Coordinates of all heavy atoms in Angstrom, one line a residue:
M1 N -76.6 -70.7 163.6 CA -76.1 -70.6 162.2 C -76.5 -69.3 161.6 O -75.7 -68.5 161.2 CB -76.5 -71.7 161.3 CG -76.2 -71.6 159.9 SD -74.8 -72.6 159.5 CE -74.8 -72.4 157.8
R2 N -77.8 -69.0 161.7 CA -78.3 -67.7 161.2 C -77.7 -66.5 161.9 O -77.4 -65.5 161.3 CB -79.8 -67.7 161.3 CG -80.5 -66.5 160.7 CD -82.0 -66.6 160.7 NE -82.5 -65.4 160.1 CZ -83.5 -64.8 160.5 NH1 -84.3 -65.3 161.5 NH2 -84.0 -63.7 160.0
D3 N -77.5 -66.6 163.2 CA -76.9 -65.6 164.0 C -75.5 -65.3 163.6 O -75.1 -64.1 163.5 CB -77.0 -65.8 165.5 CG -78.4 -65.8 166.1 OD1 -79.3 -65.2 165.4 OD2 -78.5 -66.3 167.2
D4 N -74.8 -66.3 163.3 CA -73.4 -66.2 162.8 C -73.3 -65.4 161.4 O -72.5 -64.5 161.3 CB -72.7 -67.6 162.6 CG -72.4 -68.2 163.9 OD1 -72.4 -67.5 165.0 OD2 -72.2 -69.4 163.9
L5 N -74.3 -65.7 160.6 CA -74.3 -65.1 159.3 C -74.7 -63.5 159.5 O -74.1 -62.7 158.8 CB -75.4 -65.7 158.4 CG -75.1 -67.1 157.8 CD1 -76.3 -67.7 157.1 CD2 -73.8 -67.1 156.9
L6 N -75.6 -63.3 160.4 CA -75.9 -61.9 160.6 C -74.8 -61.2 161.2 O -74.6 -60.0 160.8 CB -77.2 -61.9 161.5 CG -78.5 -62.3 160.9 CD1 -79.6 -62.4 162.0 CD2 -78.9 -61.3 159.8
L7 N -74.1 -61.7 162.1 CA -72.9 -61.1 162.8 C -71.8 -60.8 161.8 O -71.3 -59.7 161.8 CB -72.4 -61.9 163.9 CG -73.3 -62.0 165.2 CD1 -72.7 -63.0 166.2 CD2 -73.4 -60.6 165.8
R8 N -71.6 -61.8 160.8 CA -70.6 -61.5 159.8 C -71.0 -60.5 158.9 O -70.2 -59.6 158.4 CB -70.3 -62.9 159.1 CG -69.4 -63.8 159.9 CD -69.0 -64.9 159.1 NE -70.2 -65.8 159.1 CZ -70.2 -67.0 158.5 NH1 -69.1 -67.5 157.9 NH2 -71.3 -67.8 158.6
E9 N -72.3 -60.4 158.6 CA -72.7 -59.4 157.6 C -72.7 -58.0 158.3 O -72.2 -57.0 157.7 CB -74.2 -59.7 157.3 CG -74.8 -58.7 156.3 CD -74.1 -58.7 154.9 OE1 -73.5 -59.6 154.5 OE2 -74.2 -57.7 154.3
M10 N -73.0 -57.9 159.6 CA -72.9 -56.6 160.3 C -71.4 -56.2 160.4 O -71.1 -55.0 160.2 CB -73.4 -56.8 161.7 CG -75.0 -56.8 161.8 SD -75.6 -57.0 163.4 CE -74.9 -55.6 164.3
Q11 N -70.5 -57.1 160.6 CA -69.0 -56.8 160.6 C -68.6 -56.3 159.3 O -67.8 -55.3 159.2 CB -68.2 -58.0 161.1 CG -66.7 -57.7 161.2 CD -66.4 -56.6 162.2 OE1 -67.1 -56.5 163.2 NE2 -65.4 -55.9 162.0
A12 N -69.0 -57.0 158.2 CA -68.6 -56.5 156.9 C -69.2 -55.1 156.6 O -68.5 -54.3 156.0 CB -69.2 -57.5 155.8
L13 N -70.4 -54.8 157.0 CA -71.0 -53.5 156.8 C -70.2 -52.5 157.6 O -70.0 -51.4 157.2 CB -72.5 -53.5 157.2 CG -73.4 -54.3 156.2 CD1 -74.8 -54.5 156.8 CD2 -73.4 -53.6 154.9
R14 N -69.9 -52.8 158.8 CA -69.1 -51.9 159.7 C -67.8 -51.5 159.0 O -67.3 -50.4 159.0 CB -68.9 -52.4 161.1 CG -70.1 -52.4 162.0 CD -69.7 -52.9 163.3 NE -70.9 -52.9 164.1 CZ -71.2 -53.8 165.1 NH1 -70.3 -54.8 165.3 NH2 -72.3 -53.6 165.8
E15 N -67.1 -52.5 158.4 CA -65.8 -52.2 157.7 C -66.1 -51.4 156.5 O -65.3 -50.5 156.3 CB -65.2 -53.5 157.3 CG -64.7 -54.4 158.5 CD -64.2 -55.8 158.0 OE1 -64.1 -56.1 156.9 OE2 -63.9 -56.6 159.0
Q16 N -67.2 -51.6 155.8 CA -67.5 -50.7 154.6 C -67.7 -49.3 155.2 O -67.2 -48.3 154.5 CB -68.7 -51.2 153.9 CG -68.4 -52.4 153.0 CD -69.7 -52.8 152.3 OE1 -70.8 -52.7 152.8 NE2 -69.5 -53.2 151.0
V17 N -68.4 -49.1 156.2 CA -68.7 -47.8 156.7 C -67.4 -47.1 157.1 O -67.2 -45.9 156.8 CB -69.7 -47.8 157.9 CG1 -69.8 -46.5 158.6 CG2 -71.1 -48.2 157.4
T18 N -66.5 -47.8 157.8 CA -65.2 -47.2 158.2 C -64.4 -46.8 157.0 O -63.8 -45.7 157.0 CB -64.5 -48.3 159.0 OG1 -65.3 -48.6 160.2 CG2 -63.1 -47.8 159.5
Q19 N -64.4 -47.7 156.0 CA -63.7 -47.3 154.7 C -64.2 -46.1 154.0 O -63.5 -45.2 153.6 CB -63.6 -48.5 153.8 CG -62.8 -49.6 154.2 CD -63.0 -50.9 153.4 OE1 -63.8 -50.9 152.5 NE2 -62.2 -51.9 153.7
L20 N -65.6 -46.0 154.0 CA -66.2 -44.9 153.4 C -66.0 -43.6 154.2 O -65.8 -42.5 153.6 CB -67.7 -45.2 153.3 CG -68.1 -46.2 152.2 CD1 -69.6 -46.5 152.2 CD2 -67.8 -45.6 150.7
Q21 N -66.0 -43.7 155.5 CA -65.7 -42.5 156.3 C -64.3 -42.0 156.1 O -64.1 -40.8 155.9 CB -65.8 -42.9 157.8 CG -67.3 -43.0 158.2 CD -67.4 -43.5 159.7 OE1 -66.6 -44.3 160.1 NE2 -68.6 -43.2 160.3
E22 N -63.3 -42.9 155.9 CA -62.0 -42.6 155.6 C -61.9 -41.8 154.2 O -61.2 -40.8 154.1 CB -61.0 -43.8 155.7 CG -59.5 -43.5 155.4 CD -58.9 -42.4 156.4 OE1 -59.4 -42.4 157.5 OE2 -58.1 -41.7 155.9
E23 N -62.6 -42.4 153.3 CA -62.6 -41.8 151.9 C -63.2 -40.5 152.0 O -62.7 -39.5 151.4 CB -63.4 -42.7 151.0 CG -63.2 -42.3 149.5 CD -63.9 -43.3 148.6 OE1 -64.1 -44.5 149.0 OE2 -64.3 -42.9 147.5
V24 N -64.2 -40.2 152.7 CA -64.9 -38.9 152.8 C -63.9 -38.0 153.5 O -63.7 -36.8 153.0 CB -66.2 -38.9 153.6 CG1 -66.7 -37.6 154.0 CG2 -67.2 -39.7 152.8
R25 N -63.1 -38.4 154.5 CA -62.1 -37.5 155.2 C -61.0 -37.1 154.1 O -60.7 -35.9 154.1 CB -61.5 -38.3 156.3 CG -62.1 -38.0 157.6 CD -61.3 -38.6 158.8 NE -62.2 -39.4 159.5 CZ -62.2 -40.8 159.6 NH1 -61.4 -41.4 158.8 NH2 -63.1 -41.4 160.2
E26 N -60.7 -38.0 153.3 CA -59.6 -37.7 152.3 C -60.1 -36.7 151.3 O -59.4 -35.8 150.9 CB -59.1 -39.0 151.6 CG -58.3 -39.8 152.6 CD -58.0 -41.2 151.9 OE1 -58.3 -41.4 150.7 OE2 -57.4 -42.0 152.7
L27 N -61.4 -36.9 150.8 CA -62.0 -36.1 149.8 C -62.2 -34.7 150.3 O -62.0 -33.7 149.6 CB -63.3 -36.7 149.3 CG -63.2 -38.0 148.5 CD1 -64.5 -38.6 148.2 CD2 -62.5 -37.6 147.1
R28 N -62.5 -34.6 151.6 CA -62.7 -33.2 152.1 C -61.4 -32.4 152.2 O -61.5 -31.2 152.3 CB -63.3 -33.3 153.5 CG -64.8 -33.7 153.6 CD -65.4 -33.8 154.9 NE -66.7 -34.0 154.9 CZ -67.5 -34.5 155.8 NH1 -66.9 -34.7 157.0 NH2 -68.7 -34.8 155.7
Q29 N -60.3 -33.1 152.2 CA -59.1 -32.3 152.1 C -58.7 -31.8 150.8 O -57.8 -31.0 150.6 CB -57.9 -33.3 152.7 CG -58.1 -33.6 154.2 CD -57.1 -34.6 154.6 OE1 -56.2 -35.0 154.0 NE2 -57.3 -35.1 155.9
L30 N -59.3 -32.3 149.7 CA -59.0 -31.8 148.4 C -59.6 -30.5 148.2 O -60.7 -30.1 148.7 CB -59.5 -32.8 147.4 CG -58.9 -34.2 147.4 CD1 -59.7 -35.1 146.4 CD2 -57.5 -34.2 147.0
P31 N -59.0 -29.6 147.3 CA -59.7 -28.4 146.9 C -60.9 -28.6 146.1 O -61.1 -29.6 145.4 CB -58.6 -27.6 146.1 CG -57.6 -28.6 145.7 CD -57.8 -29.8 146.7
A32 N -61.8 -27.7 146.3 CA -63.1 -27.7 145.5 C -62.8 -27.6 144.0 O -61.8 -26.9 143.6 CB -64.1 -26.6 145.9
P33 N -63.6 -28.2 143.1 CA -63.3 -28.1 141.7 C -63.1 -26.7 141.2 O -62.3 -26.5 140.3 CB -64.5 -28.8 141.1 CG -65.0 -29.7 142.1 CD -64.7 -29.0 143.4
G34 N -63.9 -25.8 141.7 CA -63.8 -24.4 141.2 C -62.6 -23.7 141.6 O -62.2 -22.7 141.1
Q35 N -61.9 -24.3 142.6 CA -60.7 -23.6 143.1 C -59.4 -23.9 142.2 O -58.4 -23.3 142.4 CB -60.4 -24.0 144.5 CG -61.5 -23.5 145.5 CD -61.3 -24.0 146.9 OE1 -60.6 -25.0 147.1 NE2 -61.8 -23.4 147.9
L36 N -59.5 -24.8 141.4 CA -58.4 -25.3 140.6 C -58.6 -24.9 139.1 O -58.8 -25.8 138.2 CB -58.2 -26.8 140.7 CG -57.7 -27.3 142.0 CD1 -57.7 -28.8 142.0 CD2 -56.4 -26.7 142.4
E37 N -58.6 -23.6 138.8 CA -58.7 -23.2 137.4 C -57.3 -23.3 136.8 O -56.3 -22.8 137.3 CB -59.2 -21.7 137.4 CG -60.7 -21.7 137.9 CD -61.2 -20.3 137.7 OE1 -60.8 -19.5 136.8 OE2 -62.2 -20.0 138.4
P38 N -57.2 -23.8 135.6 CA -55.9 -23.9 134.9 C -55.4 -22.5 134.5 O -56.2 -21.7 134.2 CB -56.2 -24.8 133.7 CG -57.7 -24.6 133.5 CD -58.3 -24.4 134.8
N39 N -54.1 -22.4 134.7 CA -53.4 -21.2 134.2 C -53.2 -21.3 132.7 O -52.3 -22.0 132.3 CB -52.1 -21.1 134.9 CG -51.4 -19.8 134.6 OD1 -51.8 -19.1 133.7 ND2 -50.3 -19.5 135.3
L40 N -54.0 -20.5 132.0 CA -53.9 -20.6 130.5 C -52.6 -20.0 129.9 O -52.4 -20.2 128.8 CB -55.2 -20.0 129.8 CG -56.5 -20.7 130.2 CD1 -57.6 -19.9 129.6 CD2 -56.5 -22.1 129.8
D41 N -51.9 -19.4 130.7 CA -50.6 -18.9 130.3 C -49.6 -20.0 130.1 O -48.6 -19.9 129.5 CB -50.1 -17.8 131.2 CG -51.0 -16.6 131.2 OD1 -51.6 -16.3 130.1 OD2 -51.0 -15.9 132.1
Q42 N -49.7 -21.1 130.9 CA -48.8 -22.2 130.9 C -49.1 -23.0 129.6 O -50.2 -23.3 129.2 CB -49.1 -23.2 132.1 CG -48.9 -22.5 133.4 CD -47.4 -22.2 133.6 OE1 -46.5 -22.9 133.1 NE2 -47.0 -21.3 134.4
P43 N -48.0 -23.4 128.9 CA -48.1 -24.1 127.6 C -48.9 -25.4 127.7 O -49.7 -25.7 126.9 CB -46.6 -24.4 127.2 CG -45.8 -23.5 128.0 CD -46.6 -23.1 129.2
E44 N -48.8 -26.1 128.8 CA -49.5 -27.4 129.0 C -51.0 -27.2 129.2 O -51.7 -28.1 129.1 CB -48.9 -28.2 130.1 CG -49.1 -27.6 131.5 CD -47.9 -26.7 131.8 OE1 -47.0 -26.5 131.0 OE2 -47.8 -26.3 133.0
N45 N -51.5 -26.0 129.4 CA -52.9 -25.7 129.6 C -53.6 -25.0 128.4 O -54.7 -24.8 128.4 CB -53.1 -24.9 130.9 CG -52.7 -25.6 132.1 OD1 -52.8 -26.8 132.2 ND2 -52.2 -24.9 133.1
R46 N -52.7 -24.7 127.4 CA -53.3 -24.1 126.2 C -54.1 -25.2 125.4 O -53.7 -26.4 125.4 CB -52.2 -23.5 125.4 CG -51.6 -22.2 126.0 CD -50.8 -21.4 125.0 NE -50.0 -22.3 124.2 CZ -48.7 -22.4 124.2 NH1 -48.0 -21.6 125.0 NH2 -48.0 -23.1 123.5
Q47 N -54.9 -24.7 124.5 CA -55.6 -25.6 123.7 C -54.6 -26.2 122.6 O -53.7 -25.5 122.1 CB -56.7 -24.9 122.9 CG -57.6 -25.7 122.1 CD -58.7 -24.9 121.4 OE1 -58.8 -23.8 121.5 NE2 -59.6 -25.7 120.8
I48 N -54.8 -27.5 122.4 CA -53.9 -28.2 121.4 C -54.4 -27.7 120.0 O -55.6 -27.9 119.7 CB -54.0 -29.7 121.5 CG1 -53.5 -30.1 122.9 CG2 -53.3 -30.4 120.4 CD1 -53.6 -31.5 123.2
K49 N -53.5 -27.2 119.2 CA -53.8 -26.7 117.9 C -53.3 -27.7 116.8 O -53.6 -27.5 115.7 CB -53.2 -25.3 117.7 CG -53.8 -24.3 118.6 CD -53.2 -23.0 118.5 CE -53.8 -22.0 119.4 NZ -53.1 -20.7 119.5
G50 N -52.4 -28.6 117.1 CA -52.0 -29.5 116.1 C -51.0 -30.6 116.7 O -50.8 -30.6 117.9
F51 N -50.5 -31.4 115.8 CA -49.6 -32.5 116.3 C -48.3 -31.9 117.0 O -47.9 -32.6 117.9 CB -49.2 -33.4 115.1 CG -48.4 -34.6 115.5 CD1 -48.9 -35.6 116.1 CD2 -47.0 -34.6 115.2 CE1 -48.3 -36.7 116.5 CE2 -46.3 -35.7 115.6 CZ -46.9 -36.8 116.2
D52 N -47.8 -30.8 116.5 CA -46.7 -30.2 117.2 C -46.9 -29.9 118.6 O -46.0 -30.1 119.4 CB -46.3 -28.9 116.4 CG -45.7 -29.1 115.0 OD1 -45.3 -30.2 114.8 OD2 -45.7 -28.2 114.2
D53 N -48.0 -29.4 118.9 CA -48.4 -29.1 120.4 C -48.4 -30.4 121.1 O -47.8 -30.5 122.3 CB -49.7 -28.5 120.5 CG -49.8 -27.1 120.0 OD1 -48.7 -26.4 119.9 OD2 -50.9 -26.6 119.8
I54 N -48.9 -31.5 120.6 CA -48.9 -32.8 121.3 C -47.5 -33.3 121.5 O -47.1 -33.7 122.6 CB -49.7 -33.8 120.5 CG1 -51.2 -33.3 120.5 CG2 -49.6 -35.2 121.2 CD1 -52.1 -34.2 119.6
L55 N -46.7 -33.2 120.4 CA -45.3 -33.7 120.5 C -44.5 -32.9 121.5 O -43.7 -33.5 122.3 CB -44.7 -33.6 119.1 CG -43.3 -34.2 119.0 CD1 -43.3 -35.6 119.4 CD2 -42.8 -33.9 117.5
Q56 N -44.6 -31.5 121.6 CA -44.0 -30.7 122.5 C -44.4 -31.1 124.0 O -43.5 -31.2 124.8 CB -44.2 -29.2 122.2 CG -43.6 -28.7 121.1 CD -43.9 -27.3 120.7 OE1 -44.7 -26.7 121.4 NE2 -43.3 -26.8 119.7
R57 N -45.6 -31.3 124.2 CA -46.0 -31.7 125.6 C -45.5 -33.0 125.9 O -45.1 -33.2 127.1 CB -47.5 -31.7 125.6 CG -48.1 -30.3 125.6 CD -49.6 -30.4 125.6 NE -50.2 -29.1 125.3 CZ -51.4 -28.7 125.5 NH1 -52.2 -29.6 126.0 NH2 -51.9 -27.5 125.2
F58 N -45.5 -34.0 125.0 CA -44.9 -35.3 125.3 C -43.5 -35.2 125.6 O -43.0 -35.9 126.6 CB -45.2 -36.2 124.1 CG -44.5 -37.6 124.3 CD1 -45.2 -38.5 125.0 CD2 -43.3 -37.9 123.7 CE1 -44.7 -39.8 125.3 CE2 -42.8 -39.2 123.9 CZ -43.5 -40.1 124.6
E59 N -42.7 -34.4 124.8 CA -41.2 -34.3 125.1 C -41.0 -33.7 126.4 O -39.9 -34.0 127.0 CB -40.6 -33.5 123.9 CG -40.6 -34.3 122.6 CD -40.1 -33.5 121.4 OE1 -40.1 -32.3 121.5 OE2 -39.8 -34.1 120.4
K60 N -41.8 -32.7 126.8 CA -41.6 -32.1 128.1 C -41.7 -33.1 129.2 O -41.1 -32.9 130.3 CB -42.5 -30.9 128.3 CG -42.1 -29.7 127.5 CD -43.1 -28.6 127.7 CE -42.8 -27.4 126.8 NZ -43.7 -26.3 127.1
R61 N -42.6 -34.0 129.0 CA -42.9 -34.9 130.2 C -41.9 -36.1 130.2 O -41.8 -36.8 131.2 CB -44.3 -35.5 130.0 CG -45.3 -34.4 130.3 CD -46.7 -35.0 130.2 NE -47.7 -33.9 130.4 CZ -49.0 -34.1 130.4 NH1 -49.5 -35.2 130.1 NH2 -49.7 -33.0 130.6
H62 N -41.2 -36.3 129.1 CA -40.3 -37.5 129.0 C -38.9 -37.0 128.8 O -38.2 -36.4 128.4 CB -40.7 -38.5 128.0 CG -42.1 -39.1 128.3 ND1 -42.4 -40.0 129.3 CD2 -43.3 -38.8 127.8 CE1 -43.6 -40.3 129.4 NE2 -44.2 -39.6 128.5

């Protein structure tokens, strides 16, 4: 009985390791945070100055 519990626990841990390895692979494919600087010339990246800015951004997306 104890051996069965240990085997199941080991299998669960192996599955977790496999999932974490896949997640690490996916994360490594993303650009580094410093590589994605927003283009401040784009209206959607400018600082919001009022409700009009918010409304314009909402209307562009919908």
Side-chain angles (χ1 to χ4, degrees):
M1 171 103 172
R2 183 172 180 220
D3 289 344
D4 290 340
L5 289 173
L6 289 173
L7 288 173
R8 282 187 282 184
E9 182 64 22
M10 285 179 58
Q11 181 61 32
L13 290 171
R14 285 182 179 147
E15 289 173 9
Q16 282 183 324
V17 168
T18 300
Q19 290 171 354
L20 289 170
Q21 287 172 331
E22 180 61 31
E23 188 174 338
V24 167
R25 269 188 231 105
E26 292 172 6
L27 289 172
R28 285 183 176 160
Q29 294 176 5
L30 296 175
Q35 293 176 339
L36 292 178
E37 294 184 23
N39 182 354
L40 296 178
D41 295 333
Q42 297 291 332
E44 63 270 8
N45 294 330
R46 288 193 319 247
Q47 185 176 6
I48 295 175
K49 296 179 182 170
F51 184 73
D52 289 341
D53 287 343
I54 295 171
L55 184 58
Q56 286 175 359
R57 291 180 190 194
F58 177 78
E59 288 174 346
K60 285 181 183 178
R61 292 182 183 176
H62 298 286

